[in-house]
Amino acid sequence: MEDAKEVAVAKLAELLKHPDDLNTKVGPLARKIAKEKASIDAQLNTGVQTQLDNVQGGLETLVSSRDNSEKIKDNMQLIDRLCYDAQSMIKDFPRIKKVSRIHQNFVATQQKVQALQELYQRLSDIEQMFAPMQHDILLYDSPLLHVHYHLFKLEEFRDQTMHQARDSPHDVIITLKTYFRRLDVLSDDFTQYLWEISRNLLLLVERDCGPTIVKLAKIIELEEKADEKALAAKQAQTSHQDLQGKGGWRLAEGNPRTIKSYRVEFFEQLHQSLRERFEEELAPYKENEDWMGALDATDFIFNDLELVFDEIVPKFPKKYKIFPYFVLEYHRHTYDFLNYMVDQDLDAGTILRLLRFVRDYYSTMSTRLGVTEELLEPQLLDGQEQSLVNEYLKLVRTKLVEWTSNLMSTESRDFVQRNQPPEMTSDGQYGMTGAVDMFQIINQQIDVAADANQGKLLYLVVNECHKVMKDSQSFWKKLLGSETRKQLDEPEQAPEGFVEYVMAMSNDQIKCADFAEEILNRIMPQVESKYKGQVEDKLNMAVEGYMQIAASGREALLEVTFNDIKPVFHELFTSRWYEQPLIPSVIETLKDYCQDFAAHLNEFLFNKLMNDTLERFIMLYLEAMRRKGAKFQMEVCLDKIQNDVRLSFNFFAKYKSMEELEERFDVIDKVHTILKSNRRMIFVDYYSLRQAYPDVPLAFVEDILSKRDDLDKAALKDIIEGIKAKAREYEPDANTPPTIFSRIKW
């Protein structure tokens, strides 16, 4: 009751969410609910009335049946009474009855003696018919039903005789058993022949011996009917003990037949034969522990079941449910075999094959045989697929870590020691074998998982491979950082070849990014829709990670390159710069490095590196203008700056377009303009610089102007105040992207 109230309150809270709803919704809701209640009440009334009518009809039928039973009982008692009373109406009835019984016994004894005399001859005839069949179940037109008919009659005669002699002396019973011994042997042989047929149903239909199976089914049916008749007689004997003492009720003696239960035994023989079938097919693979081969050999299951459905099922009565029996027997043997497999020490490939087999098994059962997974009990692997998946992932993880660790160990040793130059491809690019080897391993694991046709498994394997890739990236990032610091801090003690190995490592990272992207493009059509986003994110992250490591390698090359020429930039605009050209030595150094980069570095990386080199060159040149020792000796410095720009421009023109160079060197050109500007025009030139480079620090302009030797302090002060005023008037666009000045550490 409380639950109903809670549900009602919750429903009202959902319908009436706002105070205004009490005014606008209560009326219509009440009418709607009343209408629904009336409809439900009408349905309930109709249902209750129907149930009452059915109950009333059932009660009337029970009353009628009881009345009929009473009438039958009364009539039977009347018949019994009439029969008993009629005996007193016939003169000498007891004597007549006795003589009649003596005659009946005499006739029965005469028939029994004659049957005993003919027994061996009849047995010989049956044995003669049975002999050709006994050793050849594939006999096409065998007299199976004929043999069974005559043997069945002889067994009935034997059972009746032994039953009638049950109260005879022991020696008489022994004599009868000895006499029937030959029949017993023949009966056992025939029964074993039937079970041999039962164990070879598939062989019989393969050899076009279908009629033999039909005969077998008919014999089982006849024996089952005889069993039912005997059981009914025994039941009657048990149920009518009260009539035992009344003469004439021979039914109470029961049926002498021994219950054979041929149908039960038939299915037991089928069970044994199917178990032997599985053992015969799979035993060689078990002995050799060839589990892959065993799974591949299970096609016989579906072929056999198709044969059963097409050829055997039509030959048996529907009540035998032959096809469901075969399906469940094959399924249970498959279940046992897979459980046996799981208990073994399986490798990763076999686990994947097993998981794929289970999925294909249910699919094939459904598509080829129309048997759904719900009908197949018990469930294969007992629903432990996830534990197998976890075991497989554990093996994959272990192998991937082991293989990649070995690769990283070898490559890191080569990278650190640098005893030999890195390998070179046919196009002259440096490289290392680790990238190719690692992705061969990764591709192998992903391909195997994809072949398993397990959507979640493929995602999980990709996830494991992603972890390996991330670990590899972290390893290279850490190693590159430590080796770069050694190279910059203690270049004399560091082994030679650092630049070459960084180029090789960076090239490998680009290869890895390409490999990861290729995997992404290749497997996405095979990934289930619910995992597509996750797989795409994982592999895109891997690609991005490799590109970042390649960028770190590019940065290391840049640092090493400019580490050699930074001292030269420190002397720009100093007295030494005025005494001799310094930029030519910088250009020569850059030329040596860039020639190596162009020859041995990936084209994409080289273009990026040249962009970085150009930007770093301009940044250092601008930084040099603010250094403490910098002085601008007017006219002389202007010419020297132009000469520096010309030399640099010509060098970078080998690698960059003219339009890009003009755009990049524009900042030096505008600074050069301010340096040569007179007092009246300097504000205009500053405005031009500020408009092109909104993030130019005012302190930078003050510094370079303060280093001009043609401006006295008073003039400089006026100019700076004017520039500050001009700067306050200028409000740059907030959406303007940062320029080179934002990347300079002032």
Side-chain angles (χ1 to χ4, degrees):
M1 189 67 181
E2 293 297 326
D3 292 342
K5 289 182 178 178
E6 291 178 2
V7 172
V9 170
K11 185 66 176 177
L12 284 173
E14 181 181 349
L15 294 173
L16 304 174
K17 296 181 179 179
H18 303 287
D20 293 342
D21 292 343
L22 293 173
N23 298 326
T24 59
K25 291 187 177 181
V26 170
L29 282 174
R31 289 191 293 274
K32 179 182 177 183
I33 293 172
K35 187 176 181 180
E36 292 176 352
K37 181 178 181 299
S39 175
I40 293 172
D41 289 343
Q43 293 176 6
L44 288 174
N45 290 335
T46 302
V48 170
Q49 186 62 46
T50 302
Q51 291 295 324
L52 288 174
D53 293 343
N54 292 337
V55 171
Q56 183 65 33
L59 290 173
E60 291 174 355
T61 302
L62 287 173
V63 171
S64 175
S65 299
R66 185 188 62 185
D67 293 343
N68 291 335
S69 297
E70 290 295 330
K71 289 179 181 178
I72 292 171
K73 181 179 178 181
D74 294 342
N75 290 335
M76 293 297 293
Q77 290 176 347
L78 178 61
I79 292 171
D80 182 60
R81 191 164 53 251
L82 289 174
C83 289
Y84 183 78
D85 294 343
Q87 294 180 13
S88 62
M89 302 171 69
I90 301 174
K91 187 179 181 180
D92 298 327
F93 179 78
R95 181 179 298 176
I96 294 172
K97 182 178 179 182
K98 183 176 181 181
V99 171
S100 175
R101 183 167 295 173
I102 291 171
H103 178 73
Q104 290 175 357
N105 291 341
F106 176 78
V107 172
T109 302
Q110 185 181 29
Q111 291 174 346
K112 187 74 69 177
V113 170
Q114 184 179 356
L116 287 170
Q117 291 173 343
E118 297 174 352
L119 176 65
Y120 280 5
Q121 181 58 47
R122 293 174 68 183
L123 282 173
S124 297
D125 294 341
I126 296 173
E127 288 171 345
Q128 187 176 1
M129 287 188 292
F130 181 58
M133 302 161 44
Q134 189 172 6
H135 303 294
D136 185 11
I137 63 171
L138 299 177
L139 196 63
Y140 180 75
D141 193 19
S142 63
L144 187 60
L145 292 176
H146 196 59
V147 171
H148 175 260
Y149 172 78
H150 291 287
L151 193 58
F152 182 83
K153 292 298 183 183
L154 291 181
E155 288 174 344
E156 276 189 332
F157 170 68
R158 177 197 62 193
D159 293 340
Q160 291 171 356
T161 302
M162 295 302 297
H163 182 71
Q164 291 168 353
R166 64 187 182 278
D167 297 327
S168 301
H170 183 67
D171 60 332
V172 174
I173 294 177
I174 294 298
T175 300
L176 285 173
K177 286 184 176 180
T178 303
Y179 195 76
F180 285 120
R181 177 65 181 170
R182 187 176 167 188
L183 172 60
D184 294 340
V185 172
L186 180 59
S187 179
D188 289 343
D189 290 344
F190 183 76
T191 301
Q192 293 305 315
Y193 177 75
L194 292 179
W195 302 148
E196 183 69 17
I197 293 175
S198 302
R199 289 192 295 270
N200 290 276
L201 294 182
L202 292 171
L203 177 62
L204 288 168
V205 296
E206 288 173 354
R207 300 293 183 86
D208 295 327
C209 295
T212 302
I213 299 176
V214 176
K215 295 172 185 177
L216 171 67
K218 286 184 175 296
I219 290 171
I220 295 174
E221 279 291 283
L222 288 170
E223 294 288 350
E224 282 291 300
K225 288 180 180 178
D227 283 349
E228 291 172 2
K229 188 176 180 181
L231 289 172
K234 290 182 179 180
Q235 180 66 30
Q237 182 183 22
T238 304
S239 303
H240 299 286
Q241 290 292 334
D242 56 321
L243 299 177
Q244 186 67 34
K246 297 182 179 181
W249 290 96
R250 299 193 60 81
L251 179 64
E253 295 182 2
N255 191 305
R257 174 181 170 86
T258 300
I259 303 301
K260 294 183 177 181
S261 302
Y262 265 27
R263 184 171 168 185
V264 174
E265 184 61 25
F266 165 72
F267 282 109
E268 179 61 28
Q269 294 296 327
L270 265 185
H271 172 76
Q272 293 296 331
S273 68
L274 296 180
R275 181 175 59 80
E276 293 169 2
R277 169 88 167 131
F278 264 77
E279 286 295 326
E280 177 186 349
E281 290 287 343
L282 301 178
Y285 302 103
K286 284 185 177 181
E287 293 175 4
N288 299 325
E289 296 187 352
D290 180 11
W291 307 117
M292 289 280 206
L295 294 176
D296 291 336
T298 53
D299 282 344
F300 77 91
I301 296 173
F302 310 108
N303 297 332
D304 286 0
L305 290 177
E306 282 186 333
L307 191 63
V308 168
F309 185 81
D310 294 336
E311 300 294 339
I312 296 179
V313 170
K315 296 174 174 56
F316 281 89
K318 289 183 178 180
K319 65 182 180 181
Y320 278 50
K321 298 180 179 178
I322 287 292
F323 186 64
Y325 179 82
F326 268 88
V327 168
L328 289 178
E329 281 294 308
Y330 273 77
H331 177 73
R332 285 164 185 160
H333 287 304
T334 304
Y335 167 84
D336 293 338
F337 173 69
L338 294 188
N339 284 350
Y340 178 82
M341 268 188 67
V342 170
D343 292 337
Q344 310 307 309
D345 187 15
L346 304 179
D347 58 31
T350 304
I351 292 176
L352 268 188
R353 180 68 180 86
L354 177 58
L355 291 170
R356 181 179 180 184
F357 169 82
V358 171
R359 183 166 182 170
D360 291 347
Y361 172 86
Y362 283 120
S363 175
T364 305
M365 278 289 189
S366 177
T367 55
R368 285 178 62 176
L369 302 171
V371 181
T372 60
E373 184 174 346
E374 294 76 16
L375 301 177
L376 297 171
E377 292 290 342
Q379 187 179 4
L380 293 185
L381 303 177
D382 292 321
Q384 297 179 4
E385 288 90 342
Q386 188 56 47
S387 63
L388 279 176
V389 168
N390 294 338
E391 181 65 22
Y392 170 74
L393 291 174
K394 180 180 177 182
L395 290 172
V396 169
R397 188 181 304 116
T398 301
K399 289 296 183 183
L400 284 173
V401 171
E402 177 185 346
W403 292 332
T404 53
S405 295
N406 292 335
L407 284 175
M408 292 298 101
S409 176
T410 301
E411 294 217 318
S412 64
R413 184 174 60 251
D414 293 341
F415 189 84
V416 172
Q417 296 177 358
R418 304 191 282 276
N419 294 324
Q420 299 292 332
E423 296 183 3
M424 189 183 300
T425 62
S426 58
D427 57 359
Q429 293 185 9
Y430 286 134
M432 303 168 76
T433 59
V436 176
D437 293 341
M438 185 177 75
F439 271 88
Q440 283 180 345
I441 297 169
I442 290 174
N443 272 309
Q444 181 183 14
Q445 298 303 321
I446 289 177
D447 289 342
V448 171
D451 290 340
N453 202 21
Q454 295 267 353
K456 184 176 181 181
L457 180 62
L458 177 57
Y459 161 68
L460 292 174
V461 170
V462 170
N463 190 43
E464 291 299 326
C465 293
H466 171 256
K467 291 178 182 177
V468 169
M469 290 186 255
K470 293 298 289 181
D471 290 343
S472 168
Q473 293 165 8
S474 299
F475 171 83
W476 278 115
K477 184 176 182 180
K478 183 177 179 181
L479 183 62
L480 177 64
S482 63
E483 289 300 305
T484 301
R485 285 192 296 273
K486 290 179 185 178
Q487 185 69 27
L488 295 176
D489 298 341
E490 301 174 346
E492 297 83 6
Q493 298 180 11
E496 296 182 358
F498 176 75
V499 171
E500 288 78 4
Y501 267 90
V502 172
M503 284 194 283
M505 185 277 297
S506 301
N507 289 340
D508 273 11
Q509 299 304 305
I510 295 297
K511 286 181 184 177
C512 290
D514 291 340
F515 289 150
E517 191 167 7
E518 187 274 331
I519 291 174
L520 174 64
N521 295 331
R522 177 164 53 85
I523 69 169
M524 283 308 291
Q526 299 173 268
V527 179
E528 289 186 5
S529 56
K530 61 181 178 181
Y531 298 116
K532 281 186 183 293
Q534 300 173 68
V535 169
E536 189 172 8
D537 289 343
K538 295 288 184 185
L539 291 176
N540 281 332
M541 286 172 60
V543 172
E544 182 63 27
Y546 285 122
M547 297 303 294
Q548 289 176 0
I549 302 301
S552 297
R554 196 175 76 235
E555 182 66 23
L557 293 175
L558 192 67
E559 291 297 331
V560 171
T561 300
F562 280 92
N563 190 59
D564 290 347
I565 56 178
K566 269 188 177 180
V568 179
F569 281 95
H570 293 169
E571 294 183 340
L572 292 179
F573 312 113
T574 65
S575 58
R576 187 161 177 255
W577 180 64
Y578 289 100
E579 293 172 359
Q580 62 181 28
L582 298 181
I583 288 299
S585 63
V586 172
I587 298 301
E588 285 301 318
T589 303
L590 290 177
K591 184 183 298 183
D592 291 340
Y593 276 109
C594 291
Q595 285 176 349
D596 287 343
F597 297 156
H600 305 301
L601 196 60
N602 175 274
E603 183 180 358
F604 170 80
L605 284 177
F606 175 71
N607 290 331
K608 288 287 187 180
L609 181 57
M610 290 309 302
N611 287 338
D612 296 342
T613 302
L614 175 57
E615 184 173 87
R616 180 69 63 87
F617 178 88
I618 295 174
M619 287 168 60
L620 290 175
Y621 200 84
L622 292 174
E623 287 177 359
M625 293 182 176
R626 291 192 64 189
R627 290 194 178 278
K628 188 175 181 180
K631 294 293 181 180
F632 296 114
Q633 299 176 14
M634 298 314 297
E635 301 305 330
V636 177
C637 73
L638 298 178
D639 293 338
K640 291 186 70 66
I641 290 174
Q642 285 183 330
N643 191 49
D644 290 346
V645 170
R646 180 180 56 78
L647 290 173
S648 306
F649 194 96
N650 291 338
F651 166 71
F652 285 108
K654 298 176 183 177
Y655 307 107
K656 311 301 295 181
S657 67
M658 298 296 292
E659 293 79 7
E660 185 176 358
L661 288 177
E662 288 175 356
E663 181 181 348
R664 293 295 189 93
F665 278 96
D666 175 71
V667 63
I668 297 179
D669 183 59
K670 283 187 167 48
V671 171
H672 181 269
T673 302
I674 287 181
L675 286 175
K676 72 177 181 179
S677 181
N678 58 45
R679 298 180 186 181
R680 292 188 300 273
M681 295 299 297
I682 201 165
F683 304 108
V684 176
D685 294 332
Y686 168 75
Y687 181 80
S688 176
L689 175 66
R690 184 68 184 274
Q691 196 170 29
Y693 304 93
D695 52 357
V696 58
L698 185 59
F700 171 75
V701 179
E702 292 180 15
D703 280 349
I704 62 173
L705 290 176
S706 66
K707 296 180 185 300
R708 283 176 53 169
D709 62 357
D710 62 335
L711 294 175
D712 55 29
K713 290 184 179 181
L716 180 61
K717 183 178 180 181
D718 292 340
I719 292 172
I720 295 302
E721 289 178 355
I723 288 176
K724 287 181 178 180
K726 202 71 175 177
R728 286 192 293 270
E729 295 176 3
Y730 180 78
E731 294 183 4
D733 187 355
N735 297 322
T736 303
T739 70
I740 191 171
F741 286 102
S742 295
R743 293 188 286 275
I744 297 176
K745 296 179 181 179
W746 301 106

